[in-house]
Each structure stands twice: as C-alpha cells, then as structure tokens.
Amino acid sequence: MKILILNGPNLNLLGQRETAIYGHQSFDAYFEQLKKKFPSVDLHYYQNNSEGKLIDKLHECGFSYDGIILNGGAYTHTSIAIMDAIAGITTPVVEVHISNVHARESFRSTSFSAKKCVGAIAGFGMFGYEMALSYFLQKTK
Amino acid sequence: MKILILNGPNLNLLGQRETAIYGHQSFDAYFEQLKKKFPSVDLHYYQNNSEGKLIDKLHECGFSYDGIILNGGAYTHTSIAIMDAIAGITTPVVEVHISNVHARESFRSTSFSAKKCVGAIAGFGMFGYEMALSYFLQKTK
Amino acid sequence: MKILILNGPNLNLLGQRETAIYGHQSFDAYFEQLKKKFPSVDLHYYQNNSEGKLIDKLHECGFSYDGIILNGGAYTHTSIAIMDAIAGITTPVVEVHISNVHARESFRSTSFSAKKCVGAIAGFGMFGYEMALSYFLQKTK
Amino acid sequence: MKILILNGPNLNLLGQRETAIYGHQSFDAYFEQLKKKFPSVDLHYYQNNSEGKLIDKLHECGFSYDGIILNGGAYTHTSIAIMDAIAGITTPVVEVHISNVHARESFRSTSFSAKKCVGAIAGFGMFGYEMALSYFLQKTK
Amino acid sequence: MKILILNGPNLNLLGQRETAIYGHQSFDAYFEQLKKKFPSVDLHYYQNNSEGKLIDKLHECGFSYDGIILNGGAYTHTSIAIMDAIAGITTPVVEVHISNVHARESFRSTSFSAKKCVGAIAGFGMFGYEMALSYFLQKTK
Amino acid sequence: MKILILNGPNLNLLGQRETAIYGHQSFDAYFEQLKKKFPSVDLHYYQNNSEGKLIDKLHECGFSYDGIILNGGAYTHTSIAIMDAIAGITTPVVEVHISNVHARESFRSTSFSAKKCVGAIAGFGMFGYEMALSYFLQKTK
Amino acid sequence: MKILILNGPNLNLLGQRETAIYGHQSFDAYFEQLKKKFPSVDLHYYQNNSEGKLIDKLHECGFSYDGIILNGGAYTHTSIAIMDAIAGITTPVVEVHISNVHARESFRSTSFSAKKCVGAIAGFGMFGYEMALSYFLQKTK
Amino acid sequence: MKILILNGPNLNLLGQRETAIYGHQSFDAYFEQLKKKFPSVDLHYYQNNSEGKLIDKLHECGFSYDGIILNGGAYTHTSIAIMDAIAGITTPVVEVHISNVHARESFRSTSFSAKKCVGAIAGFGMFGYEMALSYFLQKTK
Amino acid sequence: MKILILNGPNLNLLGQRETAIYGHQSFDAYFEQLKKKFPSVDLHYYQNNSEGKLIDKLHECGFSYDGIILNGGAYTHTSIAIMDAIAGITTPVVEVHISNVHARESFRSTSFSAKKCVGAIAGFGMFGYEMALSYFLQKTK
Amino acid sequence: MKILILNGPNLNLLGQRETAIYGHQSFDAYFEQLKKKFPSVDLHYYQNNSEGKLIDKLHECGFSYDGIILNGGAYTHTSIAIMDAIAGITTPVVEVHISNVHARESFRSTSFSAKKCVGAIAGFGMFGYEMALSYFLQKTK
Amino acid sequence: MKILILNGPNLNLLGQRETAIYGHQSFDAYFEQLKKKFPSVDLHYYQNNSEGKLIDKLHECGFSYDGIILNGGAYTHTSIAIMDAIAGITTPVVEVHISNVHARESFRSTSFSAKKCVGAIAGFGMFGYEMALSYFLQKTK
Amino acid sequence: MKILILNGPNLNLLGQRETAIYGHQSFDAYFEQLKKKFPSVDLHYYQNNSEGKLIDKLHECGFSYDGIILNGGAYTHTSIAIMDAIAGITTPVVEVHISNVHARESFRSTSFSAKKCVGAIAGFGMFGYEMALSYFLQKTK
C-alpha cells in the first residue's frame, strides 16, 4: 500500500508556528513515528508552499498511489485549481486539518478541495493523519 | 472508558433511506459490530429525531462520560441550541457525518455544532464512528 | 387509499389564532367534513408542535401510506431535518399552506421541505388540503 | 363562470420541450380534455411568449372574468410588471406551475407574481390547472 | 419643441388601478389638460405594456425629438435593455414616477433606466410629468 | 396576577454552564428568591429543551395568564415557529436574555420571537426576569 | 406661503466644489434669483454640515411652514435620524439632489430620507429646487 | 447615586411625533415624574439631535457618574462613533428604546451601541427608563 | 447548412449607438459581407427588441436549423425565459457579444442564456459572429 | 508649510480610552513633541466629535493649507459626507489611524474617506502622524 | 506573427482528466495539428500549474509577441495577480476555456482575467484555441 | 538593523507597467537610492511572482530579521496563506502599497495580510517604503 502525505503552505513551520493552535511537534519528527507505527505501509511525504507544486505532486502520484492525505493549509479555502486537480486524478484523496477549522475565522469554513475528496477530518491534531491512514487501511481489508 | 454515540434526525432510517448516499447497513447492526471490535470500551447508543431530546441527552451524559460522538444529522446546520449544549458540558464531543457534507448542497457546509466540538469527521461512511472512537482511545494512552 | 394529513406547529390553534390570516374554523371540524366528503379514502390526521415528532410520524407512515399531506407550518422555512425525512421515505408527500406564504414576510418564501415533495399548494385556505387529496385520487385513476 | 387560462413563455412547446420535466402532452390536447371535463365552465385559453402581451391579456380579462389561472413560466421569477398587472385588476388570479419550481435552480424559487395572487400551485403536472379550476368552482358554492 | 411622453406597463390602467397609490384620473384625460396648458409644445404620447415596444419607440423618436419623458413603470427596476436604449439615442430622457418609489417595496428602489437619464422625479402624482416638461422648457430659454 | 416564566434550551444548566457568561446561580434557587420577593404574584416556571414543548406551553398558558416571560435561549435566533406561537396567543410576552446577545456572535443578534413580543431585555443577568416582572406589575396599576 | 430650503453637508461649497458635477453657481447667488422669480413665496434658506443641526431645523420649521425642500447631501444615504425627523413633523418635505444620484456610486442610490418625503427630484441641477417649489405652489391652487 | 439619561435624535419631539408608536407624553413631563419616584437618585437629563454632542456628553459624564441610560434613537443603528465612546468611558451604560425596534424596519434591528453597553431594553414605552434605573439601583444593594 | 443570426434589443442601432463600444458599421452592411464570405451557408438574420419575439424566433427555427448565433443584448443578463427557450429547442445555440461584457458593469457578467448554449464569445467586435459561424462549419467536417 | 491635524470622534480621550489599543499618551502631549520635532512646519491641531464640525474645518482650511492629516475615527467607516468634503477641497488629505483597523471588527475595514485621500496609514500608533507629515515634507523637496 | 498559447493548472492532464467535460485529446497532440494548420504563424506553447510561473511567462512574452491565448484554468476565477499581469503588458490577450464555464458551478462564472483581455471564448472544446488564433490573424489583414 | 523588502506579483514591472498608477521608476533604481539614504540599515530586496516563493522568503527571514516590508501586490486581497505565514513568524511585518488601494476596484479594499501585520501604508508611491523603514528605525530609538 502506497500513501502520500501532502502538506501545503506553512506546514513546514509546525512545532514552531502558532503553537497554541498547532502544537509543538515538527512534522518530520511526527512522520518518523508514523512510519514506525505503520511499517507495512509505503509512506511518502511532501510539503510545499506553492499551490502549483502541490498540483504537480497530485498529478505525479495521483494515478499510481493507493491514497493521498492532503492538508492543503490555507489553499483549502481559496484554491479551485487544487480542487480541479483532485477531480482530475484517480487516486482517492482524504483532507486533513490539524486545527478545528470550523471554530476559527469564517473564511476557514469554506473548503473547495473537500468537495472532491472522499471526506475530511479536522481538529484532532497530528492524530488526524493517522485517522486518514486507518481509513485507507480498512478499505483494503 | 465510557462513550456515547448520539445520532440525530433520520439516522434511524440508515440502511433504508437514500442508500446511494448512506449505504445499506442499519445502525443497530453496525453498533453490534462496533461493540465487538472495541470490547474494552463501555459504548452507549442513543438516537432521537428531536432537537430537544438530543440536548437532554448531551446534558445527561455530558458531565460523566469520557467522550460523545455526535452525528447531529440535519440539525448540524441549523441548531445553535445544540451548539450551546456542547459548550455547556464538560465531556469532549466529536462530530461525525457519514456522507461528505462538503460535496452536497451548500446549506450543508455550515456546522454550528462543530464550532464547539474537538473536531469533525465527514465522508467515511460508518467507519467515521470508528475514527472518532480511535481518537478518544489514543488520548488516554 | 390511505392518506395522512400531517400538521406542524401552531396549526392546533386554527380557528383561534390570527383569524384574519387563517380563518375561523378549527382543523378538527374541518377534518370531519373532509372525511364525509371523501368516504372512500382512509384518512388520518396528526398534529404536533415538535419537529422531531413530525419526523417520527413521517417515518412511521412513510413506507406504507399512499400519500402524505404535510403542512409543516413554520418548520417549512427552517427544517432541513424534515426535508431529509421526506427524502428518506417512499410515500409521496404534498406540501400545503393555508395562507399565501409568497405574500408574507420574506423568510416565509423559502421552503426546504418542498424541495423533496411532489409539489406545493399555498393560499387557498382549508381547501388546499382538498386539492392535495384530489391529486392523490386522480393519480390512481 | 368564465375562466381564462393564461400561459407564458415556452409553454407553447409543451409535449415537445424538456419532456423529462414537463411531460409529453401538448397544451392544446390537454385543453380539449379540460373543457370536456368541466362543461359548465366557460373556459378560455391564451398563450404568448411576450411579457407585454400577457399584461395586455390580464387587463383585457381582469375586470370581467371570474378567475384567471396564470402560468407565467420564467416571467414568474423576474417580472414586477406582471405582478403590478395582477394587483391592478379585480379578477382573482391563481398561479400554476407544471414542475415543482422549489426543487429546481434557486432563481426559480422567487415568485413576484404569486405575491398578488390568491395562491400558488406547483409540481402536479397538468393536473395543477384542474386544481386551480376546482378552487374557483368551490368558491361559488 | 417636440416632446414624447412614453408610459410603460400598467399605466394604461391609471384612474382604474390601485387608486390609493395612483389616483383616479386616467392618463388620456390628463394628457388633454397638459396639451392645453402647454400649447407651444408639440406633445406626443405613447403607452405600451411591452418592453420591446418601448425600446422601439425610444429608437424611433430618440434622434429627432427634443425630449422624452419616460415612466417605465415596473421595467424601471429590471430592464437593462431600456437603459441601453436610452444610452443609444441622442434625445435627453427624464424619468418620472407617479408614486414615491422610495417609500414602497425595496425592489422598487433600483432604477436601471435612471442611470442613463438626465434625472428622475418620483412621488408627485401626475404633476411629475409637468415638472419634467418644465425642465425641457427652461433648458431652451 | 398569573405569570409564567418560560425558559428554553440549556437554561436548565444555569449555574453550571459557561459561568463566565451566565453566572453561578441555578435558576431554581433564583426562582425561590423571586417568589419571596413578589408574594402577590402567582408565579409559574417551566423549562424545556424542545422547541415543540415550548410552543405547547405557550398555547397552554397563552389565553389565561396575565403575562409570559420568555427566555427562548438559542431558539430565539432560529425559531419562526415560536414567533408564530406568540402571535397566535393573547397573553402578552416579554423576551429576556441573561447575557447581552448584541455583544456576542453575529447570529445571536437576530430575534424572530422578539418581533411578536411586547419588548425585549438583554444583558442584565438574572435581574432581567425581575425587570420583565416589574413591567407586568406596573401595567395593572 | 412659507417655504424652507434646507441644504445639507458640502452644499455651502456649491460653485466651488466638483464643478463638473455641481456647476459654477453659488447657492447664495441662486437663492437671490429664486426669490425674485417667486416674489409671492416667503422663502427661507438654511445650510448646515451637521446632521444634528439639520434635524433641529426640521423640528423648528416642521410644524408651521407650508413646505420644506431638503437637499440632505450625503446624509441622504446614511441618516435614519433625518428620516425619523421628517416622519415626526407635519410639514410636507420634498427631496432634491442637484446631480443624478442614480448615475453615480452605488451607495448613492439608497435614500433613507426619501422614504418619508412626498417625493424626490434628482439630476436637474439648480432647477430641481424650482421644480420642488412649483410642486408646493400647484398644490394650493 | 448619579445617573444621566441621555436622549438622542428626535426624542425632543416625544408626545408630539408619531404618537401611535411613541405615545402622547413629553419627556420633560415624564422626567419630573421619574425624579419624584426616585428621590434618592441624583438624576440628570440631556437631549441632543447631534451625534457629536451625544459623544461629548458621554465623555463629560462617563468617568464620574454611576450610570448612563442611553436612548440613542436612530444613531443606535448607524453610529460606530457612539459605540466607541461607550467603550472609551468607565461608567456603565444601559441602552433603552421606547418602541420595540425588533418589530419595525429591518435596519432598526442592528445596534452598534448595544455591543458596548451592559445590556439593552426595548419596547416598554417610557417604563423602559425606569427598568434601566432599577438595574443601577439593585447593583449597589 | 442553415444558420440563423438572432440579434436582441438595441442591436438595430449598431453603427449609430455608443460607437466607442460597438463600432461604426451597421449590422445590415456587415451581414452582406458575411454572406459573401460564406457563400455555401444559408444565412438568415432577424433582429427584434422584444424578448417575446426572440423566443418566438427561437421556437420557429430551433427544430430545423443547423445552428443559431444569438446576441441577446441586455436580455442575456436578465432573461430566464430565453434561457428556457434555448433549453427547449434542439438546434445548438452559440452566444455572441460584440463588446467584452466582462470588462463592463458587474450586472453584465451574468448570463442566463449562456447556461444552455454550446458556448459564448465576447469582445471581438463583429468578428465574433464569424467565429461562431466557423464553429458550426468545422463541426460538420 | 502649513499643515492641519484633524482628529475625529473620541480621539480627545487618547491616553485615557482603551489604552491596550491606543496607548497611554494624550494627543496634546504628543502634539507638543511633534511641533518641537518639526519646527519649520506651521502645525495646527483641531479635534471634534461632530461629523459636521469636521466638515466645517475641512472647508475652512482646505483651500489654503498645504496638507491635512485626518484621523476621522469611527466616521471613517460611515461618513460619505466627509468623503465628499475631501473631494470638494483642493488641499491634499492623508488618512491616519492609530490602531491597525484591518485587524479589528470587519466594519472597520471600510473607509469612505480614504477613497478621496492621497493615501492611508494605519497601525503605527502616534508615529503614523509623523509618517504623514514626512510625506508632505518630501513632496516639496 | 508570433503567438503564445499559455495554459494554466491541470491542463497538462487534458485527454486524461474528466474526459466527459474536456475530451480525450492531449494538448500536445492538438498543438502539433494546430502548427500544421497554421504554418505561417510562429506558435509557442507553455503550460504551468503555478500562478507565479504563468505571470512570469506573461511578462516574458508580453512586450514582444503579437498575441497571447490564455487558458488560465481555475486561476481565471480567483487570480487578481494574473489580471494585473495582463494589464501590465502590451501584447493583447484572448481568454479561452475548453468547457462552457457558464454552465458549471457558480464560482466559475467570475473571470478576473477576462476584464483585461480583448475578449473571451468558452465552450467550444479545443476549437476555441483556433477561434482565438483566427482573431489575431484577421486583425492584421 | 536588518530589513527585507519583499515585493509580490507584477512589481518587477514597475516603471514599465500602468505608469499612470505606479510611476516611471523601476524598483531596482529606487532600491539603490534607498540604500544610499539609509546607509546604517542592512537592506535586502526580493521579488517573486509566486505566492509560494513569497511564503518561503517570509519563513527564511522571519525569525532573524528586524523587520519585513511587504508589498504583496494582488495576493494581498486573496492570500490566506501569506496571512498565515506572517502569523507564523516572529519578525514584525509592515504592509505597503504604492497606489491608494481604497480608491480602486472594490476587491482591492480587502487585505488578508494586513490582519497580521503591524500596520499598512497605501497611496504614497515609492515613498511608502521609506515610511515603513522609518517606522522600524524609530522603534529602536
């Protein structure tokens, strides 16, 4: 099973940025834990701050991977282009947000990308990625 | 660990209603599976079509249970009263939707209740309840 | 032919409440007339002020009756849950309003429930129920 | 009893246009049936695609007829001028739509004309005209 | 001096329609008075309920007359086409409303046509036409 | 003088819920104080979390009591049905809110129910009920 | 006949300010002409840049004058207080604007004050005041 | 105890203006009654039609008085400046409206000033001032 | 190949009206050129200022022609009736605008008719008609 | 070089009001510092809480001064009249806000006055006035 | 003649992505055909998923090429930056969309970029690029 | 003192693009002047047309520099991602716009980025960068 975790803008600052909202752990540290916990999964990780690069990555992996876990960051709320990219590929995508976007500014309650995803998970911190992963795993059972 | 699954309006029709969206399994059948899968959890289940009865149940369990998994159905999008109930109790609440509400009519993209929940999960079918359960379980580790 | 007339909030006050808009006849008196006029129809009548109880009744009758005539009162304009209940049953539902909702406050021009009904009738006083009934009768001819 | 059926834009295409929504019967054929079914009523029929011609007809008949059954087609949603014409005449007007306008595009849920009508009927196919007719008939009893 | 008074939908009912708002005098009677009062002006009058016919008349007179007094009735609030016709001709146009449109329904406070007129007059009853006429007269002094 | 205090959703949690906004006193304790302070008034108290039950109570008391003091909680902002119930009864109703709803989330600044009440009081804590009571008392002087 | 011309903010700059829109004549010069043209009218003139002072003047003259001609300037579009003042007095008020407000920024198309005036005149330059005056004169004939 | 009653635009016309809404008593007459009824309170009264003067008065009294009762009239709905003035002083302010603003035009349902007040009272006629006064009195007990 | 060019309101003024936007050539002159350039196409041309007449023409040609090139003028932005006419016929329709509607007033960026057309072309002057024609020609190759 | 600093409502409370947002220094103290720092500039200062008085001052100085630095306070967001005054004078105006209005309530993100100013500065505390002054100084170099 | 075809996000997936909407041909294959069909034109092609890279390319070619054909994909609806880039260059730009954006989700009916283009073409599949090309060719004749 | 000037999309065209709005000087030329004028400041400059690259640069410099001067160009109005980047770093950011964005299209009056900046400066041409610089300099005094 081959899964891509795709993180969008500012998520490279995790553990460093707005720690009251996002916690103190860096994503790299978390990713190592994740790989250990799910040794049977072929886990990949990519982060970029550019909308275009995220689209490139969705295209690159979106026809061969078994699943993509997308945290589009702020592009979630504004990018029709990422939504179109998800619609254009065949790999199913699951949307994850670390914070509970519903409880924040009103412009964070819109999600273009979730319209074309399998579903969305928000508010469970890093554990949200694990929930998404568990979804892909149970599907194949 | 004591957890309540609280289902709102029309979820008693699961397996029977709009099966293209919600699937063919009744919730009672699913609940039996769930209890078997998580034998260590003291799982309770309550469904009601009345907004007021859901609030009553939140009050009743909201100070002693370890977690509540709420699928508020259509009240999710209109009920400030349920949102206030969640804010008024001490048990953490997780919102679950079986279908991907972001991909449906625009009035389903508003969630009053999620504003006061830990987080929200939508689009993973029945498995969403299991994801919510796994969140409460990992918290206590 | 088995038909349910389902009346929502405040319709128990008919003949008593805002008579300039709703007229002076109680629904019970009207219902007796209706039964006499349509002796061949197995007519039932239920009124409740609770959104949840109306949903319960839709579920209870919505798989065996030949038709439901719904006057959802003010819930017409706010209840996605009743709309979902109509979508979830198999019995066809016809929406009736005694007053002409289009000619009143702007918030009465939205109807969630009518989206999932066969159609809607508004402004013909008590006679609207008879029009709905005549629709079900001609269908079977 | 003298009644005018007044049909607006595109209703001349009935039986031909968007048959999934409007059915396969032409209005002329239906009108013949209607006259046979209600031999005691002096029934008239006029169709025009022009907003102005519909207003002309409302003026022409609106002070001497006993009732007008108006299917304003798409002008229902945009024409303040037709609404003003209804307000300016003394004959009562009933609005009819063949399809359930509440279940279609959002711009079809506004009705200017219905604000000045006795009431409105939508979604019952051709039978809606008969419902409107039955309203005028029972009024005179 | 050659002036056209151009009246839109429902203004043929003046003196007959909604007399609480529009008064009891027919426009024909008023027009005779007006011609007597302004013998030096070559006054013309045209009324039509059709948007297209009003545009035709604007084109016909809009390059040779000295002024047009337009009461577009309800088309005032919805017709971009009439607005474009006014922009396309060279004769200056003055907008007149008999009633005070600002004090009525909110959809009557929009005027497309007035955007391309010299100015607008509303609320002075029939006298508004005389005010418009006096404007054209003083301009030539 | 017979007065009903009618409390809506979540007000049973008073003294327990969001004490920073609503204070530490339970309503039962407060009600005992109130009865002592106004011995001449026949004071009744009812709380329910269900919209339908609040409407039932308004109907039950709304033709015989001298006044109703309504704290509709969150239903204030969403319930047209409660608004209709107030319009349908003859007992005058006064709206009370413990917190200053104008200073909170924007969706709390709409009040359907207040449209049909004598007036509304918000922001004075428990003392608001006493203010409402004093209104009914001075009216009879 | 006693008439007040009441000018609001920035109208003291007439002849000096934005002459492309408002022309080159000062209001004082125009007022002298006006008095000469209408010797039989007892004409008064007051200008102030303060919303409160305009309200004071409306109160002062609004029970004894035969008419008030109000050019509320920019307060037209924002002042509910001036609207209330007009509603509170007995003298009829006519609204005048020098420029065609309908052809300018969209926020100039709202007029609170006109809702309580006899009517409104816009776009005829200084001549608009004369049109308003002629209205008051013909009324007394 | 030192209390200021601060009345905004048009409230000087009380007893004279729109008596169907505001009643027949002048505020001066009412104020004399109020002083007699509350002899222990050092009551002051100020009215002005100017937004700026109301702000001046709030500043003047807002650091030494025990309470301010503000009826901002129409400025309630439009003045951010008065809202800022209330936020800038230390004396608590209570908002009073004589009429039930919730039952009138929709633009009267917004209150900027109430956001920074202790609370708001609307619809109880002159008695509303007394309710506000009773609030300040019970606070000191 | 049989093609209709259908021009809506004010397009009869081409070459004469707002030449800065629409150019100096009349449509008749252009049409002669077009016929010469495409001798193999059976080209027809109809212009009318009435919405109803445009609908009539769409019905008349819409079941036998190979293509319709529609420049609905201002009706593009307001006419649901024309949109319904296009949906009701079988001939494919292409929308053309001479000016770039996207660069003009915001109300010109809505197109009801384009929703049911094959596509839309705007901003290329008269050449837009030729582009539309070339589309129909290449389809048959 | 002659410059006016014009402060609007509540800015007389600086150093005293909402010090978390506006700081502890009074404007008078700051103005003395400023004059010392810019001895070559003829600096004037005027504050008023009345919209009308601010307009008066803009007119008074707006044809002879070299620059005006305007902090319109809350009138910034609501006053079309001040915007018109700036458009009507010849002296260039620079808008200054002490706090970062973009980071506060959404109604503070609209600025009518800035539309007619040279530019706007917000969020730099008292130093914003100095920035505005430096702009006028560098212009003359 | 030197022309750039500039394709935005997801257009690299043409022939592969959402073929029901976009067809089965890849853009590379189409581009080869196009070059053969227009041998006299110096045709260039560039695709990128990044908004910034599209802007870079517009700058690079926008002062020397004879025309740019831009299919901005989803950026069309959200990118003010691309709109500014088009405004900042001297080469004329024509907007092309393969699908009929007017017939899809409402957020696709806004086009920022088209505001600064010569015009826009939508709904004609790949042939739209050829239409754009024909526009540039006929201009030079 | 180490300061970064960060320019967004299209600002590389300065001196070349829309010179009526932005002036004739290139930013490189201006930057040389600036460095000479502020020899004590360690000034850096970076421009990119990509949203992602601007975020990268904010991250790179945002924990070590003393200040960032950001002209986000059109991304100012649409980028939540840049807003989040500013919130995620520790270096204070000042927003600068060359033109007066308040006086342009309405979509330019929204600024996401300014919500997380110290403040914003708009309309003073290139001198705005100097104003921002002077803010950072005076802070350290």
Side-chain angles (χ1 to χ4, degrees), chain G residues 122-136:
Chain G
F124 304 98
M126 290 308 204
F127 186 68
Y129 292 94
E130 211 165 318
M131 289 163 113
L133 210 47
S134 73
Y135 166 75
F136 285 119

Side-chain angles (χ1 to χ4, degrees), chain K:
Chain K
M1 182 161 235
K2 206 169 172 183
I3 301 283
L4 173 71
I5 293 180
L6 184 54
N7 274 352
N10 299 303
L11 290 158
N12 51 322
L13 292 188
L14 271 179
Q16 190 170 1
R17 158 204 179 207
E18 296 179 278
T19 52
I21 303 177
Y22 295 103
H24 288 84
Q25 193 178 29
S26 79
F27 200 84
D28 284 338
Y30 175 71
F31 188 61
E32 287 314 305
Q33 288 179 6
L34 207 61
K35 281 197 293 192
K36 274 181 204 145
K37 196 160 176 187
F38 295 89
S40 69
V41 181
D42 184 9
L43 263 178
H44 296 252
Y45 165 52
Y46 182 78
Q47 190 274 339
N48 205 291
N49 291 322
S50 158
E51 193 177 0
K53 292 294 181 198
L54 297 172
I55 295 169
D56 289 348
K57 199 72 184 181
L58 284 165
H59 292 174
E60 182 193 322
C61 305
F63 296 94
S64 59
Y65 278 56
D66 298 296
I68 296 174
I69 298 172
L70 171 67
N71 183 339
Y75 291 146
T76 302
H77 318 304
T78 60
S79 176
I80 303 174
I82 290 176
M83 181 187 97
D84 283 356
I86 298 169
I89 59 178
T90 55
T91 299
V93 181
V94 165
E95 178 158 315
V96 167
H97 294 286
I98 294 171
S99 68
N100 182 357
V101 287
H102 308 286
R104 298 178 67 193
E105 303 99 321
S106 64
F107 52 74
R108 291 198 207 266
S109 68
T110 301
S111 173
F112 280 107
S113 39
K115 287 178 192 293
K116 301 296 179 188
C117 286
V118 174
I121 297 163
F124 304 99
M126 291 307 206
F127 187 68
Y129 291 94
E130 209 164 320
M131 289 163 114
L133 210 47
S134 73
Y135 166 75
F136 286 119
L137 285 169
Q138 65 87 31
K139 264 208 347 180
T140 63
K141 281 181 204 168

Side-chain angles (χ1 to χ4, degrees), chain J residues 106-118:
Chain J
S106 65
F107 52 73
R108 289 196 209 267
S109 68
T110 301
S111 173
F112 281 106
S113 39
K115 286 179 192 294
K116 300 297 178 186
C117 287
V118 173

